[in-house]
Amino acid sequence: LIVGTHALIEHDVRFDELAVAVIDEQHRFGVRQRAALGERESTGGAADRGHAPHTLHMTATPIPRTLALARYGDLDTTALRELPLGRQPIETQLVTGEEARASAYEHLREELAAGRQAFVVCPLIDDPEAVGPAQPELRAAAAELLRLKKGELQGYELALLHGGMRPREKQEAMAAFASGRSQVLVATTVIEVGIDVPNATVMLIENAERFGISQLHQLRGRVGRGEHRATCFLLAGPHSGGSGRLRALVQHNDGFRLAEIDLTLRKEGELIGTRQSGSGQFRVARLPEDASLLERARARAEAILAGDPQLRSPEHALLATVLQEAIGEQALEPIPA
């Protein structure tokens, strides 16, 4: 059993008898990265050599392209709709305006006073001026930490965590928060996955309009992991361009439902190709409205391929020609998830 990060995808990594590849947090990998493990051939015994492994992709928030493949492509799916045992529903509020912001921080302080902990997430590490003067006011984690120490969270213990820190510094910051020595963790999206602090009950996300639905849902999932109810505050500008996404987060806690909304907003991208969002190549079909029709089309296509995998029968010659003209020689190759 080999457990690793993206390093397992490197070309120089060789497996003896790789039979199963499990890709967790699938939405954080690119199409070619996900396909790389699925295409790895074993170098062991003759019985296994040349056979690609079975692959299992796992995510709480499938990207539009993956959701489309799950609907009518080369993917079988299992949906786990129930929350893990002991997990609490998370109340999500959209916050705009200074009065609402003050109320959000008041709730945060009440939770800290009750012995709980909180996250404050910012889109940048530092130097918000680097994005250009045309951008709205952006919060940077390093600067926000200093501001909060003198402002809304004066007197509380705060820790900083972002991707630009050294590994030892990251470990120390996370250890301080996990142990309760620090009450608030000011961070970037580096905390999106893999953080489990049951005592944390407040997630406050600055400039929430700059994040996608999947990211926001994953960040929100860092709270509500203990016995106490949790709240996620999405702080956004009064004229936020991402208001549709943010309202979806307020209304829904189901990651699969949010993925469907994301599909509607961003489209499915290229199902044979690497683009993971944007308009697809269909002339008529629309997702998710035509999901049932496309599932029937998939079933018919599978029946044709079961009897004629290479489309060599005379009655399938035109179909083979159209496919190859549209997508080239890869027309009959498996589609990476």
Side-chain angles (χ1 to χ4, degrees):
L1 177 66
I2 304 174
V3 180
T5 63
H6 292 70
L8 293 179
I9 302 172
E10 295 296 327
H11 182 71
D12 292 339
V13 177
R14 295 287 185 269
F15 298 95
D16 182 28
E17 295 182 7
L18 183 61
V20 178
V22 179
I23 302 176
D24 196 12
E25 304 298 353
Q26 174 256 17
H27 61 281
R28 293 178 66 90
F29 294 78
V31 174
R32 290 194 178 95
Q33 288 179 323
R34 294 194 296 271
L37 275 177
E39 293 169 354
R40 287 297 171 88
E41 295 183 351
S42 301
T43 58
D48 294 298
R49 188 176 296 118
H51 293 280
H54 299 288
T55 57
L56 173 64
H57 305 266
M58 301 194 297
T59 178
T61 50
I63 58 176
R65 179 181 183 275
T66 300
L67 187 59
L69 282 172
R71 283 282 175 77
Y72 58 89
D74 195 25
L75 278 181
D76 295 320
T77 63
T78 299
L80 305 178
R81 300 286 184 174
E82 300 81 10
L83 288 173
L85 185 64
R87 193 72 59 86
Q88 298 291 328
I90 304 167
E91 179 186 357
T92 302
Q93 298 182 21
L94 177 57
V95 177
T96 58
E98 291 304 316
E99 185 176 342
R101 173 185 287 271
S103 177
Y105 271 102
E106 177 62 28
H107 177 84
L108 191 156
R109 288 191 294 269
E110 290 174 357
E111 288 295 294
L112 297 182
R116 259 77 85 184
Q117 294 168 275
F119 296 94
V120 175
V121 177
C122 300
L124 301 177
I125 294 176
D126 210 342
D127 189 20
E129 290 80 12
V131 300
Q135 296 287 339
E137 180 185 0
L138 298 178
R139 306 273 177 166
E144 190 68 1
L145 176 80
L146 299 177
R147 191 190 72 79
L148 290 173
K149 281 185 174 182
K150 300 177 182 178
E152 293 94 333
L153 299 182
Q154 185 176 6
Y156 294 101
E157 289 294 326
L158 278 63
L160 177 66
L161 183 64
H162 59 71
M165 298 168 61
R166 296 176 179 176
R168 183 174 180 179
E169 293 173 331
K170 294 179 186 178
Q171 293 172 2
E172 291 174 350
M174 197 59 241
F177 187 66
S179 66
R181 297 197 306 274
S182 61
Q183 296 160 287
V184 179
L185 186 64
V186 181
T188 60
T189 55
V190 70
I191 66 163
E192 183 180 335
V193 295
I195 305 297
D196 185 12
V197 180
N199 193 44
T201 58
V202 177
M203 168 65 66
L204 193 150
I205 305 175
E206 293 279 5
N207 302 117
E209 70 275 8
R210 294 184 63 86
F211 301 95
I213 287 179
S214 294
Q215 260 190 327
L216 291 170
H217 184 61
Q218 290 284 347
L219 288 168
R220 175 171 64 180
R222 298 312 99 200
V223 296
R225 307 175 77 87
E227 59 180 308
H228 305 289
R229 292 186 65 86
T231 307
C232 175
F233 294 102
L234 305 176
L235 276 61
H239 306 292
S240 169
S243 57
R245 299 194 307 274
L246 302 184
R247 286 196 298 269
L249 267 294
V250 173
Q251 296 170 1
H252 303 283
N253 268 297
D254 183 348
F256 205 78
R257 175 63 184 134
L258 289 171
E260 291 177 336
I261 294 172
D262 203 17
L263 171 62
T264 301
L265 293 174
R266 295 202 292 150
K267 307 306 178 186
E268 68 273 10
E270 298 173 332
L271 302 189
I272 301 178
T274 59
R275 189 157 51 87
Q276 302 191 92
S277 63
S279 296
Q281 299 174 338
F282 298 104
R283 298 180 182 178
V284 179
R286 292 173 58 88
L287 284 174
E289 298 93 328
D290 295 323
S292 60
L293 178 62
L294 288 165
E295 287 173 358
R296 287 160 54 194
R298 174 191 176 183
R300 178 61 180 149
E302 288 177 341
I304 292 173
L305 290 174
D308 185 13
Q310 300 301 317
L311 299 180
R312 291 173 177 168
S313 299
E315 62 267 31
H316 299 148
L318 180 58
L319 178 58
T321 299
V322 171
L323 280 174
Q324 290 178 354
E325 287 177 352
I327 54 181
E329 293 301 321
Q330 60 182 332
L332 300 178
E333 294 178 1
I335 302 174

Coordinates of all heavy atoms in Angstrom, one line a residue, residues 228-315:
H228 N -20.5 20.8 18.6 CA -21.1 22.1 18.6 C -21.5 22.6 17.2 O -20.8 22.3 16.2 CB -20.2 23.2 19.2 CG -19.7 22.8 20.6 ND1 -20.6 22.8 21.7 CD2 -18.5 22.4 21.0 CE1 -19.9 22.4 22.8 NE2 -18.7 22.2 22.4
R229 N -22.6 23.3 17.1 CA -23.0 23.8 15.8 C -22.1 24.9 15.3 O -21.4 25.6 16.1 CB -24.4 24.4 15.9 CG -25.5 23.4 16.1 CD -26.9 24.0 16.0 NE -27.2 24.5 14.7 CZ -27.7 23.8 13.7 NH1 -28.0 22.5 14.0 NH2 -28.0 24.3 12.6
A230 N -21.9 25.0 13.9 CA -20.9 25.8 13.3 C -21.6 26.8 12.4 O -22.7 26.6 11.9 CB -19.9 25.0 12.6
T231 N -20.8 27.9 12.1 CA -21.3 29.0 11.2 C -20.2 29.3 10.3 O -19.0 29.4 10.7 CB -21.8 30.2 12.0 OG1 -22.7 29.9 13.0 CG2 -22.4 31.2 11.1
C232 N -20.5 29.5 9.0 CA -19.6 30.0 8.0 C -20.1 31.3 7.5 O -21.2 31.5 7.0 CB -19.5 29.0 6.8 SG -18.5 29.5 5.5
F233 N -19.2 32.4 7.6 CA -19.6 33.7 7.1 C -18.8 34.0 5.8 O -17.6 33.9 5.7 CB -19.2 34.8 8.1 CG -19.9 34.7 9.4 CD1 -19.4 34.1 10.5 CD2 -21.2 35.2 9.5 CE1 -20.1 34.1 11.7 CE2 -21.9 35.1 10.7 CZ -21.4 34.6 11.8
L234 N -19.6 34.3 4.7 CA -19.0 34.6 3.4 C -19.0 36.1 3.3 O -20.0 36.7 3.0 CB -19.8 34.0 2.3 CG -20.0 32.5 2.4 CD1 -20.9 32.0 1.2 CD2 -18.7 31.7 2.3
L235 N -17.8 36.7 3.5 CA -17.7 38.2 3.5 C -17.4 38.6 2.0 O -16.4 38.2 1.5 CB -16.6 38.7 4.4 CG -17.0 38.9 5.9 CD1 -17.5 37.6 6.5 CD2 -15.9 39.4 6.7
A236 N -18.3 39.5 1.5 CA -18.1 39.8 0.1 C -18.4 41.3 -0.1 O -19.1 41.9 0.8 CB -19.0 39.0 -0.8
G237 N -18.0 41.9 -1.2 CA -18.3 43.3 -1.5 C -19.7 43.5 -1.8 O -20.4 42.5 -2.2
P238 N -20.3 44.7 -1.7 CA -21.7 44.9 -2.0 C -22.1 44.7 -3.4 O -23.3 44.4 -3.7 CB -21.8 46.4 -1.6 CG -20.5 47.0 -1.7 CD -19.5 45.9 -1.4
H239 N -21.2 44.7 -4.4 CA -21.5 44.5 -5.8 C -20.7 43.3 -6.3 O -20.1 43.3 -7.3 CB -21.2 45.7 -6.6 CG -21.9 47.0 -6.1 ND1 -23.3 47.1 -6.1 CD2 -21.4 48.1 -5.5 CE1 -23.6 48.3 -5.6 NE2 -22.5 48.9 -5.2
S240 N -20.8 42.2 -5.5 CA -20.0 41.0 -5.8 C -20.4 40.4 -7.1 O -21.6 40.1 -7.3 CB -20.1 40.0 -4.7 OG -19.5 38.8 -5.0
G241 N -19.4 40.1 -8.0 CA -19.7 39.4 -9.2 C -20.0 37.9 -9.0 O -20.5 37.3 -9.9
G242 N -19.7 37.4 -7.8 CA -19.9 36.0 -7.6 C -21.2 35.7 -6.7 O -21.2 34.7 -6.0
S243 N -22.1 36.7 -6.8 CA -23.3 36.5 -5.8 C -24.1 35.3 -6.1 O -24.6 34.7 -5.1 CB -24.2 37.8 -6.0 OG -24.6 37.9 -7.3
G244 N -24.2 34.8 -7.3 CA -24.9 33.6 -7.6 C -24.3 32.4 -6.9 O -25.0 31.5 -6.3
R245 N -23.0 32.3 -7.0 CA -22.2 31.2 -6.3 C -22.4 31.3 -4.8 O -22.7 30.3 -4.1 CB -20.7 31.3 -6.6 CG -20.4 31.1 -8.1 CD -18.9 30.9 -8.2 NE -18.1 31.8 -7.6 CZ -17.7 33.0 -8.1 NH1 -18.1 33.3 -9.3 NH2 -16.9 33.8 -7.4
L246 N -22.3 32.5 -4.3 CA -22.4 32.7 -2.8 C -23.8 32.4 -2.3 O -24.0 31.7 -1.2 CB -22.0 34.1 -2.4 CG -20.6 34.5 -2.9 CD1 -20.3 35.9 -2.4 CD2 -19.6 33.6 -2.4
R247 N -24.9 32.8 -3.0 CA -26.2 32.4 -2.6 C -26.4 30.9 -2.6 O -27.2 30.4 -1.8 CB -27.2 33.1 -3.5 CG -27.4 34.6 -3.2 CD -28.6 35.2 -3.9 NE -28.6 35.0 -5.3 CZ -28.2 35.9 -6.2 NH1 -27.6 37.1 -5.7 NH2 -28.2 35.7 -7.5
A248 N -25.8 30.2 -3.6 CA -25.9 28.8 -3.6 C -25.3 28.1 -2.4 O -25.9 27.2 -1.8 CB -25.2 28.2 -4.9
L249 N -24.2 28.7 -1.9 CA -23.6 28.2 -0.7 C -24.5 28.4 0.5 O -24.6 27.5 1.4 CB -22.2 28.8 -0.4 CG -21.0 28.2 -1.0 CD1 -20.7 26.8 -0.3 CD2 -21.1 28.0 -2.5
V250 N -25.2 29.5 0.6 CA -26.1 29.8 1.7 C -27.3 28.8 1.7 O -27.7 28.4 2.7 CB -26.6 31.3 1.6 CG1 -27.7 31.5 2.6 CG2 -25.5 32.2 1.8
Q251 N -27.8 28.5 0.5 CA -29.0 27.7 0.4 C -28.7 26.2 0.5 O -29.6 25.4 0.9 CB -29.7 27.9 -0.9 CG -30.2 29.4 -1.1 CD -30.6 29.7 -2.5 OE1 -30.6 28.9 -3.4 NE2 -31.0 30.9 -2.7
H252 N -27.5 25.7 0.2 CA -27.3 24.3 0.1 C -26.0 23.9 0.9 O -25.0 24.5 0.8 CB -27.1 23.8 -1.4 CG -28.2 24.2 -2.2 ND1 -29.4 23.5 -2.2 CD2 -28.4 25.2 -3.2 CE1 -30.3 24.0 -3.1 NE2 -29.7 25.0 -3.7
N253 N -26.1 22.7 1.6 CA -25.0 22.1 2.2 C -24.5 20.8 1.5 O -23.5 20.3 1.9 CB -25.3 21.8 3.7 CG -25.0 22.9 4.7 OD1 -23.8 23.2 4.8 ND2 -25.9 23.5 5.3
D254 N -25.3 20.4 0.6 CA -25.0 19.1 -0.2 C -24.0 19.4 -1.3 O -24.3 20.2 -2.2 CB -26.3 18.6 -0.8 CG -26.1 17.3 -1.5 OD1 -24.9 16.9 -1.7 OD2 -27.1 16.6 -1.8
G255 N -22.8 18.9 -1.1 CA -21.7 19.1 -2.1 C -22.1 18.7 -3.5 O -21.7 19.3 -4.5
F256 N -22.9 17.6 -3.6 CA -23.3 17.1 -5.0 C -24.3 18.1 -5.6 O -24.2 18.4 -6.8 CB -23.9 15.7 -4.8 CG -23.8 14.9 -6.1 CD1 -22.6 14.3 -6.4 CD2 -24.9 14.8 -7.0 CE1 -22.5 13.6 -7.6 CE2 -24.8 14.1 -8.1 CZ -23.6 13.4 -8.5
R257 N -25.2 18.7 -4.8 CA -26.1 19.7 -5.4 C -25.3 20.9 -5.8 O -25.6 21.5 -6.8 CB -27.2 20.0 -4.3 CG -28.1 21.2 -4.7 CD -28.9 20.8 -5.9 NE -29.7 21.9 -6.4 CZ -29.8 22.3 -7.6 NH1 -29.2 21.6 -8.6 NH2 -30.6 23.3 -8.0
L258 N -24.4 21.3 -5.0 CA -23.5 22.5 -5.4 C -22.7 22.2 -6.6 O -22.5 23.1 -7.4 CB -22.6 22.8 -4.2 CG -23.2 23.4 -3.0 CD1 -22.3 23.5 -1.8 CD2 -23.8 24.8 -3.3
A259 N -22.3 20.9 -6.8 CA -21.6 20.6 -8.0 C -22.5 20.7 -9.3 O -22.1 21.2 -10.3 CB -21.0 19.2 -7.9
E260 N -23.8 20.4 -9.1 CA -24.7 20.6 -10.2 C -24.9 22.0 -10.5 O -25.0 22.4 -11.7 CB -26.1 19.9 -9.8 CG -26.0 18.4 -9.7 CD -27.3 17.8 -9.3 OE1 -28.1 18.5 -8.6 OE2 -27.6 16.6 -9.6
I261 N -25.0 22.9 -9.5 CA -25.1 24.3 -9.7 C -23.8 24.9 -10.4 O -23.9 25.7 -11.3 CB -25.3 25.1 -8.4 CG1 -26.7 24.7 -7.8 CG2 -25.3 26.6 -8.6 CD1 -27.0 25.2 -6.4
D262 N -22.7 24.4 -10.0 CA -21.4 24.7 -10.6 C -21.4 24.3 -12.1 O -20.9 25.1 -12.9 CB -20.3 24.1 -9.9 CG -18.9 24.8 -10.0 OD1 -19.0 26.0 -10.4 OD2 -17.9 24.2 -9.8
L263 N -21.9 23.2 -12.4 CA -22.0 22.7 -13.8 C -22.9 23.7 -14.6 O -22.5 24.0 -15.7 CB -22.6 21.3 -13.8 CG -22.9 20.7 -15.2 CD1 -21.7 20.7 -16.1 CD2 -23.5 19.3 -15.0
T264 N -24.0 24.1 -14.0 CA -24.9 25.0 -14.7 C -24.2 26.3 -15.0 O -24.3 26.9 -16.1 CB -26.2 25.2 -13.9 OG1 -26.8 24.0 -13.7 CG2 -27.1 26.2 -14.6
L265 N -23.5 26.8 -14.0 CA -22.8 28.1 -14.1 C -21.6 28.1 -15.0 O -21.3 29.0 -15.8 CB -22.4 28.6 -12.7 CG -23.5 29.0 -11.8 CD1 -23.0 29.3 -10.4 CD2 -24.4 30.1 -12.3
R266 N -20.8 27.0 -14.9 CA -19.5 27.0 -15.6 C -19.4 26.1 -16.8 O -18.5 26.1 -17.6 CB -18.4 26.6 -14.6 CG -18.2 27.6 -13.5 CD -16.8 27.4 -12.9 NE -16.6 26.1 -12.2 CZ -15.4 25.5 -12.1 NH1 -14.4 26.0 -12.7 NH2 -15.4 24.4 -11.5
K267 N -20.5 25.2 -17.0 CA -20.5 24.3 -18.1 C -19.5 23.2 -17.9 O -18.6 23.2 -17.1 CB -20.4 25.0 -19.5 CG -21.4 26.1 -19.7 CD -22.8 25.7 -19.5 CE -23.8 26.8 -19.6 NZ -25.2 26.4 -19.2
E268 N -19.6 22.2 -18.8 CA -18.9 20.9 -18.6 C -17.5 20.9 -19.1 O -16.7 19.9 -18.8 CB -19.7 19.7 -19.1 CG -19.8 19.7 -20.6 CD -20.9 20.5 -21.2 OE1 -21.6 21.2 -20.4 OE2 -21.2 20.4 -22.4
G269 N -17.1 21.8 -20.0 CA -15.7 21.7 -20.6 C -15.6 20.7 -21.6 O -16.6 20.4 -22.3
E270 N -14.5 20.1 -21.8 CA -14.2 19.1 -22.9 C -14.2 17.7 -22.2 O -13.4 17.4 -21.4 CB -12.9 19.3 -23.6 CG -12.8 20.7 -24.3 CD -11.4 20.9 -24.8 OE1 -10.5 20.4 -24.2 OE2 -11.3 21.6 -25.8
L271 N -15.2 16.9 -22.6 CA -15.2 15.5 -22.1 C -14.1 14.7 -22.7 O -13.6 13.7 -22.1 CB -16.5 14.9 -22.3 CG -17.7 15.7 -21.7 CD1 -19.0 14.8 -21.8 CD2 -17.4 16.0 -20.3
I272 N -13.7 15.0 -23.9 CA -12.5 14.3 -24.5 C -11.5 15.5 -24.8 O -11.6 16.2 -25.7 CB -12.9 13.6 -25.8 CG1 -13.9 12.6 -25.6 CG2 -11.6 13.0 -26.4 CD1 -14.4 11.8 -26.8
G273 N -10.6 15.7 -23.8 CA -9.7 16.8 -23.8 C -9.4 17.1 -22.4 O -9.7 16.3 -21.5
T274 N -8.9 18.3 -22.1 CA -8.4 18.7 -20.8 C -9.1 19.8 -20.2 O -8.9 20.1 -19.0 CB -6.9 18.9 -20.8 OG1 -6.6 20.0 -21.7 CG2 -6.1 17.7 -21.3
R275 N -9.9 20.6 -20.9 CA -10.6 21.7 -20.3 C -11.7 21.3 -19.4 O -12.5 20.5 -19.8 CB -11.2 22.6 -21.5 CG -11.7 24.0 -21.0 CD -11.7 24.9 -22.2 NE -12.4 24.4 -23.4 CZ -13.7 24.4 -23.6 NH1 -14.5 25.0 -22.7 NH2 -14.2 23.9 -24.6
Q276 N -11.7 21.8 -18.2 CA -12.5 21.2 -17.1 C -13.8 22.1 -16.9 O -14.6 21.8 -16.0 CB -11.8 21.0 -15.8 CG -10.6 20.1 -16.0 CD -10.0 19.7 -14.7 OE1 -10.4 18.6 -14.2 NE2 -9.0 20.4 -14.2
S277 N -13.9 23.2 -17.6 CA -15.1 24.0 -17.5 C -15.3 24.8 -18.8 O -14.4 24.7 -19.7 CB -15.0 25.0 -16.3 OG -13.9 25.9 -16.6
G278 N -16.4 25.5 -19.0 CA -16.7 26.2 -20.2 C -17.6 25.4 -21.1 O -17.9 24.2 -20.8
S279 N -18.1 26.0 -22.1 CA -19.1 25.4 -23.0 C -18.5 24.1 -23.7 O -17.4 24.1 -24.1 CB -19.6 26.3 -24.1 OG -20.3 27.4 -23.5
G280 N -19.3 23.1 -23.7 CA -18.9 21.8 -24.3 C -19.1 21.8 -25.8 O -19.3 22.9 -26.5
Q281 N -19.0 20.7 -26.4 CA -19.1 20.6 -27.9 C -20.4 20.1 -28.4 O -20.6 19.8 -29.6 CB -18.0 19.6 -28.4 CG -16.6 20.0 -28.0 CD -15.5 19.0 -28.4 OE1 -15.9 17.8 -28.5 NE2 -14.3 19.4 -28.5
F282 N -21.4 20.0 -27.5 CA -22.7 19.5 -28.0 C -23.5 20.6 -28.7 O -23.5 21.8 -28.3 CB -23.5 19.0 -26.7 CG -22.8 17.9 -26.0 CD1 -22.2 18.1 -24.9 CD2 -22.8 16.6 -26.6 CE1 -21.5 17.1 -24.2 CE2 -22.2 15.6 -25.9 CZ -21.5 15.8 -24.8
R283 N -24.1 20.2 -29.8 CA -24.9 21.2 -30.6 C -26.3 21.4 -30.0 O -26.9 22.4 -30.2 CB -25.0 20.7 -32.0 CG -23.6 20.6 -32.7 CD -23.8 20.1 -34.1 NE -22.5 19.9 -34.8 CZ -22.3 19.5 -36.0 NH1 -23.4 19.2 -36.8 NH2 -21.1 19.4 -36.6
V284 N -26.8 20.4 -29.4 CA -28.2 20.4 -28.9 C -28.3 20.2 -27.4 O -29.0 21.0 -26.7 CB -29.1 19.4 -29.7 CG1 -30.5 19.4 -29.1 CG2 -29.0 19.6 -31.2
A285 N -27.7 19.2 -26.9 CA -27.9 18.8 -25.5 C -27.4 19.9 -24.5 O -26.4 20.6 -24.8 CB -27.1 17.5 -25.2
R286 N -28.1 20.1 -23.4 CA -27.7 21.0 -22.3 C -27.7 20.2 -21.0 O -28.6 19.5 -20.8 CB -28.6 22.2 -22.3 CG -28.5 23.1 -23.5 CD -29.6 24.2 -23.4 NE -29.5 24.9 -22.2 CZ -28.7 26.0 -22.1 NH1 -28.0 26.5 -23.1 NH2 -28.7 26.7 -20.9
L287 N -26.7 20.5 -20.2 CA -26.7 19.9 -18.9 C -27.0 21.0 -17.8 O -26.6 22.2 -18.0 CB -25.3 19.3 -18.6 CG -25.1 18.0 -19.3 CD1 -23.6 17.5 -19.0 CD2 -26.0 16.9 -18.7
P288 N -27.7 20.6 -16.7 CA -28.1 19.3 -16.4 C -29.5 18.9 -16.9 O -30.0 17.9 -16.7 CB -28.2 19.3 -14.9 CG -28.5 20.7 -14.5 CD -27.9 21.6 -15.6
E289 N -30.2 19.8 -17.7 CA -31.6 19.6 -18.1 C -31.7 18.3 -18.9 O -32.7 17.6 -18.8 CB -32.0 20.8 -19.0 CG -32.1 22.1 -18.3 CD -30.8 22.9 -18.5 OE1 -29.7 22.3 -18.6 OE2 -30.8 24.1 -18.5
D290 N -30.8 18.0 -19.8 CA -30.9 16.8 -20.7 C -30.2 15.6 -20.1 O -29.8 14.7 -20.9 CB -30.4 17.2 -22.1 CG -31.2 18.2 -22.7 OD1 -32.4 18.2 -22.6 OD2 -30.6 19.1 -23.4
A291 N -30.0 15.5 -18.8 CA -29.3 14.4 -18.2 C -29.9 13.0 -18.6 O -29.2 12.1 -18.9 CB -29.2 14.6 -16.7
S292 N -31.2 12.9 -18.4 CA -31.9 11.6 -18.7 C -31.8 11.2 -20.1 O -31.5 10.0 -20.4 CB -33.3 11.7 -18.3 OG -34.0 12.7 -19.0
L293 N -31.9 12.2 -21.0 CA -31.7 11.9 -22.5 C -30.3 11.4 -22.8 O -30.1 10.5 -23.6 CB -32.1 13.1 -23.3 CG -31.9 13.0 -24.8 CD1 -32.9 11.9 -25.4 CD2 -32.2 14.3 -25.5
L294 N -29.3 12.1 -22.2 CA -28.0 11.7 -22.4 C -27.6 10.3 -21.8 O -26.8 9.6 -22.4 CB -27.0 12.8 -21.9 CG -27.0 14.1 -22.7 CD1 -26.4 15.2 -21.9 CD2 -26.3 13.9 -24.0
E295 N -28.3 10.0 -20.7 CA -28.0 8.7 -20.2 C -28.6 7.6 -21.1 O -28.0 6.5 -21.3 CB -28.7 8.6 -18.8 CG -28.0 9.4 -17.7 CD -28.8 9.4 -16.4 OE1 -29.9 8.9 -16.4 OE2 -28.3 10.0 -15.4
R296 N -29.7 7.9 -21.8 CA -30.2 6.9 -22.7 C -29.3 6.8 -23.9 O -29.1 5.7 -24.5 CB -31.6 7.3 -23.2 CG -32.7 7.1 -22.1 CD -33.9 8.0 -22.4 NE -34.5 7.8 -23.7 CZ -35.4 8.6 -24.2 NH1 -35.8 9.7 -23.6 NH2 -35.8 8.4 -25.5
A297 N -28.8 7.9 -24.4 CA -27.8 7.9 -25.5 C -26.6 7.1 -25.1 O -26.0 6.4 -25.9 CB -27.4 9.4 -25.9
R298 N -26.1 7.3 -23.9 CA -24.9 6.5 -23.4 C -25.2 5.0 -23.5 O -24.4 4.2 -23.9 CB -24.6 6.9 -22.0 CG -23.4 6.1 -21.4 CD -23.3 6.4 -19.9 NE -22.2 5.5 -19.4 CZ -21.9 5.4 -18.1 NH1 -22.5 6.2 -17.2 NH2 -21.0 4.6 -17.7
A299 N -26.4 4.6 -23.0 CA -26.8 3.2 -23.0 C -26.8 2.7 -24.4 O -26.3 1.5 -24.7 CB -28.1 3.0 -22.3
R300 N -27.3 3.5 -25.3 CA -27.3 3.0 -26.7 C -25.9 2.9 -27.3 O -25.6 1.9 -28.0 CB -28.2 4.0 -27.6 CG -28.2 3.7 -29.0 CD -28.9 2.3 -29.3 NE -28.9 2.0 -30.7 CZ -28.9 0.8 -31.2 NH1 -28.8 -0.2 -30.4 NH2 -28.9 0.6 -32.5
A301 N -25.1 3.9 -27.0 CA -23.7 3.9 -27.4 C -22.9 2.6 -26.9 O -22.2 2.0 -27.6 CB -23.0 5.1 -27.0
E302 N -23.2 2.3 -25.6 CA -22.5 1.2 -25.0 C -23.0 -0.1 -25.7 O -22.2 -1.0 -25.9 CB -22.8 1.1 -23.5 CG -22.1 2.2 -22.7 CD -22.5 2.2 -21.2 OE1 -23.5 1.6 -20.9 OE2 -21.7 2.7 -20.4
A303 N -24.2 -0.2 -26.1 CA -24.7 -1.4 -26.7 C -24.1 -1.6 -28.1 O -23.7 -2.7 -28.5 CB -26.3 -1.3 -26.9
I304 N -23.9 -0.4 -28.8 CA -23.2 -0.5 -30.1 C -21.8 -1.0 -30.0 O -21.3 -1.8 -30.7 CB -23.3 0.9 -30.8 CG1 -24.7 1.2 -31.2 CG2 -22.4 0.9 -32.0 CD1 -24.9 2.6 -31.7
L305 N -21.1 -0.4 -29.0 CA -19.7 -0.7 -28.8 C -19.5 -2.1 -28.3 O -18.4 -2.7 -28.5 CB -19.0 0.3 -27.8 CG -18.8 1.7 -28.4 CD1 -18.3 2.7 -27.3 CD2 -17.9 1.7 -29.6
A306 N -20.4 -2.6 -27.5 CA -20.3 -4.0 -27.0 C -20.3 -5.0 -28.2 O -19.6 -6.0 -28.2 CB -21.5 -4.3 -26.1
G307 N -21.0 -4.7 -29.3 CA -21.1 -5.6 -30.4 C -20.0 -5.3 -31.5 O -19.7 -6.2 -32.3
D308 N -19.6 -4.0 -31.5 CA -18.6 -3.6 -32.5 C -17.7 -2.5 -31.9 O -17.8 -1.3 -32.2 CB -19.4 -3.0 -33.7 CG -18.5 -2.7 -34.9 OD1 -17.4 -3.1 -34.9 OD2 -19.0 -1.9 -35.8
P309 N -16.7 -3.0 -31.1 CA -15.8 -2.0 -30.4 C -15.1 -1.0 -31.3 O -14.9 0.1 -30.9 CB -14.9 -2.9 -29.6 CG -15.6 -4.3 -29.6 CD -16.4 -4.4 -30.8
Q310 N -14.7 -1.4 -32.5 CA -13.9 -0.6 -33.3 C -14.8 0.1 -34.4 O -14.3 0.7 -35.3 CB -12.8 -1.4 -34.0 CG -11.8 -1.9 -33.0 CD -11.2 -0.9 -32.1 OE1 -10.8 0.2 -32.6 NE2 -11.0 -1.2 -30.8
L311 N -16.1 -0.1 -34.3 CA -17.1 0.4 -35.3 C -16.7 0.1 -36.7 O -16.6 0.9 -37.6 CB -17.2 2.0 -35.1 CG -17.6 2.5 -33.8 CD1 -17.7 4.0 -33.8 CD2 -19.0 1.9 -33.4
R312 N -16.4 -1.2 -37.0 CA -16.0 -1.7 -38.3 C -17.1 -2.2 -39.2 O -17.0 -2.4 -40.4 CB -14.9 -2.8 -38.1 CG -13.6 -2.2 -37.6 CD -12.6 -3.3 -37.3 NE -11.3 -2.7 -36.8 CZ -10.4 -3.5 -36.3 NH1 -10.5 -4.8 -36.1 NH2 -9.3 -2.9 -35.9
S313 N -18.3 -2.4 -38.6 CA -19.4 -2.9 -39.3 C -19.9 -1.8 -40.3 O -19.8 -0.6 -40.0 CB -20.6 -3.2 -38.4 OG -20.2 -4.3 -37.5
P314 N -20.4 -2.2 -41.5 CA -20.8 -1.2 -42.5 C -21.8 -0.2 -42.0 O -21.8 0.9 -42.3 CB -21.4 -2.1 -43.6 CG -20.7 -3.4 -43.5 CD -20.5 -3.6 -42.0
E315 N -22.8 -0.7 -41.1 CA -23.8 0.2 -40.6 C -23.3 1.2 -39.7 O -23.9 2.2 -39.4 CB -24.9 -0.6 -40.0 CG -24.5 -1.4 -38.8 CD -24.2 -2.9 -39.1 OE1 -23.7 -3.1 -40.3 OE2 -24.4 -3.7 -38.3

